[in-house]
Amino acid sequence: MIRRILVYHPEPADTRAYADLIRPAPGLLVTAALTPEQAVAAAPDAEILYCWRPPRAVLATAQRLRWIQCMGAGIEALLVPELSPRVIITRVAGIFGPWMAEYALGWCLWVTQRMDGFRAAQRARRWAPIDPIPLRGQTLCVVGLGDIGAHIARTARALGLQAIGVSRSGRPVSGVARVYRTRALAAALAVADFVVLTVPLSPATRGLLNAAALAAMKPSAWLINLARGPIVDEDAMIEALRSGRIAGAILDVFDTEPLPPTHPLWTMPNVVVTPHISGPSTPREIAPIFADNLRRYLAGRPLRHVADRRRGY
Ligand code: OXD
């Protein structure tokens, strides 16, 4: 029996790279869909979908689909009515923590080392000595203590910050000085100098950082969102940034991606916009995860990193 794997990534070069890294095996047929149309055409025969953000029409027409290996950590794009609940979804875990820790702490240092100001002064040939602010001793609050959040907290601690966190259970996490339950979010936000969002998007987390939560933050605090845009109430955040209710935001994710050219966030002086790159999925890092799960799948063994649809990860 031929078993068909459909590979799809919105970037055709990535689709090729992911497909080329699949080890050929007897009875396995790999189709690399380089356009959404090719993906839709190949979907009805696919048993396995190895993908990032596939068109919904692929999910609607993939009647033989048994397993989706998502190329990233967030699976919310797959949680649509078109996808049968019988299809197993697995996600990527265990590789994004180091990337995202570098991103989060790098931007914390950008704030405290006043990097923007010194580069601007250099461009103006202006000698402008202003002391940096020490990062050590500041409090960083990670909202979402999964493997990415815990990694960020431990890296923060290694730099001398006090790492605290927020999780549903409030269970202690190694390297995190204090873990608050989600219902005590405001208390955690109130003591943080940097707030880093790493929760998955789910009905429970949509709008978690609303106007009231933003109002609980220190006026000197920075928000770093590397989870999903809709976790923050965007209008309330823009208002908090404009009014100086919070000091600034480092944003890697947005309600609409790509961020439209006319969007106000592009030009706000206390906002950094990056194009969803804080935890890059690279074919070489993801290929061994897929290969391991494929071996398990073909042997009828349980897959690793099976997503919990209700929780969104
Ligand atoms: C992911 C992402 O979910 O890149 O992996 O955002």
Side-chain angles (χ1 to χ4, degrees):
M1 185 184 65
I2 298 283
R3 315 183 89 166
R4 291 170 193 266
I5 305 177
L6 174 59
V7 184
Y8 177 79
H9 188 287
E11 285 297 327
D14 281 340
T15 301
R16 274 219 189 287
Y18 281 106
D20 287 350
L21 287 163
I22 300 174
R23 276 250 189 105
L28 266 190
L29 196 77
V30 177
T31 304
L34 301 181
T35 62
E37 294 73 27
Q38 284 179 14
V40 174
D45 293 327
E47 177 176 337
I48 300 167
L49 178 59
Y50 182 24
C51 64
W52 180 243
R53 300 204 166 156
R56 283 173 79 151
V58 167
L59 304 176
T61 49
Q63 298 301 330
R64 298 201 183 144
L65 198 59
R66 303 265 309 277
W67 164 40
I68 300 181
Q69 171 68 58
C70 174
M71 291 164 180
I75 56 151
E76 75 289 341
L78 302 170
L79 302 183
V80 291
E82 287 90 331
L83 182 67
S84 154
R86 287 192 308 276
V87 176
I88 300 171
I89 302 174
T90 55
R91 56 193 281 276
V92 170
I95 63 167
F96 296 122
W99 284 108
M100 293 174 117
E102 288 185 18
Y103 178 97
L105 273 310
W107 285 107
C108 290
L109 285 164
W110 174 84
V111 172
T112 55
Q113 287 292 318
R114 306 184 190 277
M115 292 189 200
D116 218 26
F118 289 125
R119 291 288 290 159
Q122 180 185 348
R123 278 192 291 273
R125 297 168 184 258
R126 193 160 35 84
W127 185 263
I130 308 172
D131 288 346
I133 306 157
L135 186 59
R136 61 191 177 280
Q138 301 219 21
T139 298
L140 178 139
C141 174
V142 185
V143 181
L145 285 169
D147 95 79
I148 293 170
H151 204 100
I152 293 172
R154 283 194 292 273
T155 308
R157 192 167 162 220
L159 278 173
L161 286 102
Q162 147 117 331
I164 61 170
V166 178
S167 72
R168 262 177 320 117
S169 69
R171 266 196 294 277
V173 172
S174 133
V176 182
R178 177 160 179 197
V179 182
Y180 295 71
R181 282 177 191 260
T182 309
R183 63 167 177 264
L185 175 68
L189 297 178
V191 294
D193 300 298
F194 293 93
V195 173
V196 183
L197 303 181
T198 60
V199 272
L201 181 60
S202 72
T205 61
R206 188 175 286 275
L208 184 68
L209 242 78
N210 54 18
L214 290 159
M217 286 173 63
K218 292 184 187 179
S220 56
W222 282 72
L223 174 66
I224 304 180
N225 189 3
L226 30 81
R228 287 292 183 264
I231 289 162
V232 181
D233 175 334
E234 192 175 88
D235 290 342
M237 175 181 70
I238 290 175
E239 174 50 29
L241 287 161
R242 281 201 173 126
S243 64
R245 187 64 208 76
I246 62 173
I250 310 289
L251 303 172
D252 189 45
V253 288
F254 303 88
D255 283 358
T256 307
E257 294 180 13
L259 188 65
T262 53
H263 200 286
L265 286 170
W266 283 114
T267 51
M268 292 179 66
N270 51 352
V271 171
V272 170
V273 169
T274 61
H276 200 143
I277 45 67
S278 61
S281 294
T282 57
R284 281 206 179 278
E285 272 189 307
I286 310 254
I289 295 174
F290 179 62
D292 176 46
N293 260 345
L294 183 59
R295 262 192 306 275
R296 289 163 176 269
Y297 179 84
L298 297 175
R301 288 193 288 129
L303 303 185
R304 299 189 69 211
H305 312 308
V306 175
D308 176 337
R309 293 174 185 230
R310 206 169 38 86
R311 292 191 181 158
Y313 66 93

